Each structure stands twice: as structure tokens, then as C-alpha cells.
Amino acid sequence: MKRSGALIGAFAAAALAVTGLLATTDTAVATPATKGTATAAAVPAHAVTGYWQNFDNGAAVQKLSDVPADYDIIAVAFADATTTPGAVDFTLDSAGLGGYTEDAFKADIKAKQAAGKSVVVSIGGQNGTVSVSDSASAANFANSVYSLMQEYGFDGVDIDLENGLNSTYMSQALESLASKAGSGFVLTMAPQTIDMQSTSAEYFKTALAVKDILTVVNMQYYNSGSMLGCDGKVYSQGSVDFLTALACIQLEGGLDPSQVGIGTPASSSAAGSGYVAPSVVNDALDCLAKGTNCGSFKPSKTYPGLRGAMSWSTNWDATSDNAWASSVGPHVHGL
């Protein structure tokens, strides 16, 4: 997810083996434990996530209050690294957002929460350079994010680190943060497709390691190039099969269906490649949750507990008259 201009950059098809996934039994994965949090209760069973841009890159400039009610989780993009290893900070771009003040921003967070929404702070983006690589930086990460949660009232954190992460220490940092945050903590992730091709990948390992506190993984099904599906076949982005066959890897690789969401661009201007119409997103949701409206790939079973979908971004959605949210939002909520 890029801050300036449309999202660009692509990954070549990865020859990562996805073995044994389809052999997984039909035994349901246990629902995430609360462990001092209330993740499942804080977010609807079927939820829509949207990224809100704390910068002007040509998309519609918004206040949080402008974000449509279809969005259940709003990820404020982005917090930035500081000079302290692992630590992050957030500065509202008041000038770039037309004079949006911190007081108004904080009030809008409270208003969204009063309306039943969750607001989290997103860490990273394409330009993010946050590195959590040892216990000290893990502690710095947890402490600094918790400080932002206290200062602004964020419900939790989104991990959108696109330049690599260390599963051991990021997991340590997130578990520590969840312990500090307590009830209502919301943890979302937005890995790239390459990050979720195999359970041995660091991002996938992180998601599985923090499964007890994880709300949803909204993988970015765009800016990717072709990738392997859970059946070992190669699928091209921009199709319903790309969404369903890649989601299957997560669903059969250990995540609960309630922890899997489909991340797509809100408009053709929001990504360098991989845009699909909202109707295609809805077809993919139906295919995974109900076994209907599939393309050539049809999963061996259905996942009615599928969490939902994500858009990059609420701003790009607004640029297109909120066409994504007005279509995908009701569809997710009707699953």
C-alpha cells in the first residue's frame, strides 16, 4: 500500500510449494481464544475493513467522519518508525487533510466507536521501515503502539509491513501489546500474496503464532502477478479464481475462517494491477462461504464463517462514489 500516487509494484509468480493443504481434514479450527481480549465480540462476525489515508495522494481527502457506515474496521494509515528500534509514532497530516485537527480526529474516532466501529492504527505500508528483530525492539513496538492507543483511542493495530518481518519477535511484540490493551483489542494484518503462499513464510508464521488474538488477515490480492492456489495451480490476478484459490491456502493452512478476509483495491486507480469489480469480490465471498458463484476453482468445502473483505482505501472508494463499499458492504453483512 503506497502513500504517494497509485499503488505500484508487482511480484513475479512464486514457485513456493503449497503441499498438503488440500489434505487437511474438515475438523474446524478452534475459535480464537479471548486471552484478555474481546476480539470476536468487538468486530461483527462478517466485517468490512477499509484503510483511511492520513495523506493526500490524489484520492478524495477525508475525515474519519466521512467514512461510510459499511466499514466496520477502519485502519488509519500509517504510523511511522522512529529512531528507536521497533518503536513507531503517528502524526496527523492536518495540513494535507485540509486543516483536520487532532481534537476533531480524536472526536471522530470516538464517534465511530460509539457507532459500533473499530479504529486501528496501521503500521507500515509500502514505505514502512519498522523493524522488530529482537526482544528490545519487540518491547519498544508494544510500548509505542500502546501509547498511541492511549493517546488517540485506537482499538488496536494493523500490521502492513511489506519489507519483511521476523515472526518470533513480531509475535512477541503483538502478544505483549494485547496483554497491555486488554478487552476489545483488535489485530488485523494485510500481507502481500507472496507472504501467504506457504505456512513457512514469516508473515504466515506470525499470523498462526498470534492466532489467539488475531481478528482478521486481509491479504492484498493485487500488485502481485500470478500466484499458486491451494491446488498447486497458477492463477492470474484480477479474477474470482485468484481470490478463492489463494484464500484457500490460508483457510486450509491453519487460520480460522473468521480470520480470513479478501483485500482488494476500491477502484482501478487504487492499485497498479489486480483490480476487480465489486461484483467479483462478492462472487468470491459467495464461493468461499456458500459454494456458489465460483469460477473454475471450487473449494472442497465451504467456509460460512469467513470474516469478510477489505478495501484500499476508503479514500479511493470515495473517489468512485463509494461504489465498492455500497456493493461489498451489504454483501459481507448478509453472508
Side-chain angles (χ1 to χ4, degrees):
M1 295 167 178
K2 194 176 181 183
R3 307 181 193 216
S4 58
L7 295 170
I8 59 175
F11 289 90
L16 296 176
V18 185
T19 57
L21 294 181
L22 290 180
T24 304
T25 68
D26 286 349
T27 303
V29 180
T31 302
T34 54
K35 193 178 170 184
T37 70
T39 305
V43 176
H46 301 294
V48 179
T49 304
Y51 283 80
W52 176 84
Q53 298 179 185
N54 179 42
F55 49 87
D56 179 3
N57 68 345
V61 172
Q62 289 184 316
K63 297 179 180 178
L64 280 182
S65 56
D66 299 324
V67 176
D70 292 295
Y71 289 101
D72 304 293
I73 304 173
I74 302 169
V76 172
F78 295 99
D80 294 303
T82 71
T83 56
T84 301
V88 299
D89 199 3
F90 175 80
T91 302
L92 186 69
D93 184 15
S94 296
L97 302 180
Y100 195 20
T101 66
E102 284 218 347
D103 286 344
F105 177 67
K106 292 175 182 177
D108 285 346
I109 290 175
K110 289 183 179 179
K112 283 294 182 183
Q113 292 165 335
K117 313 302 180 182
S118 299
V119 183
V120 300
V121 59
S122 183
I123 311 297
Q126 184 175 3
N127 299 339
T129 57
V130 180
S131 178
V132 178
S133 56
D134 55 30
S135 293
S137 55
N140 291 338
F141 181 92
N143 290 335
S144 61
V145 175
Y146 184 55
S147 178
L148 293 178
M149 291 176 65
Q150 292 180 301
E151 180 179 357
Y152 290 95
F154 295 125
D155 295 288
V157 68
D158 170 73
I159 305 301
D160 181 20
L161 295 174
E162 301 180 13
N163 297 295
L165 53 73
N166 180 303
S167 60
T168 299
Y169 294 108
M170 179 52 72
S171 301
Q172 180 177 310
L174 293 173
E175 291 284 2
S176 175
L177 176 61
S179 296
K180 295 175 185 294
S183 179
F185 178 66
V186 176
L187 170 59
T188 66
M189 296 184 177
Q192 299 165 110
T193 55
I194 190 69
D195 296 321
M196 303 298 284
Q197 282 275 282
S198 167
T199 54
S200 64
E202 287 297 293
Y203 224 120
F204 210 144
K205 286 166 65 176
T206 301
L208 294 174
V210 299
K211 186 176 170 181
D212 59 326
I213 56 171
L214 177 62
T215 306
V216 63
V217 174
N218 293 300
M219 191 174 75
Q220 302 176 40
Y221 293 77
Y222 49 93
N223 288 346
S224 166
S226 299
M227 286 284 162
L228 293 173
C230 66
D231 57 358
K233 296 180 180 178
V234 177
Y235 292 94
S236 299
Q237 63 178 350
S239 66
V240 65
D241 288 333
F242 189 78
L243 304 180
T244 54
L246 269 68
C248 174
I249 298 175
Q250 299 171 57
L251 291 162
E252 292 298 320
L255 293 180
D256 189 84
S258 68
Q259 297 173 318
V260 177
I262 295 174
T264 64
S267 74
S268 58
S269 299
S273 62
Y275 171 76
V276 293
S279 61
V280 176
V281 180
N282 291 341
D283 285 346
L285 293 168
D286 286 343
C287 179
L288 294 168
K290 306 174 184 178
T292 61
N293 295 327
C294 298
S296 62
F297 173 82
K298 186 170 184 177
S300 59
K301 63 180 179 180
T302 57
Y303 309 91
L306 191 75
R307 179 69 81 174
M310 171 272 277
S311 81
W312 174 268
S313 60
T314 64
N315 305 74
W316 283 115
D317 195 13
T319 305
S320 298
D321 298 320
N322 295 312
W324 190 95
S326 62
S327 175
V328 177
H331 201 83
V332 166
H333 297 138
L335 287 177

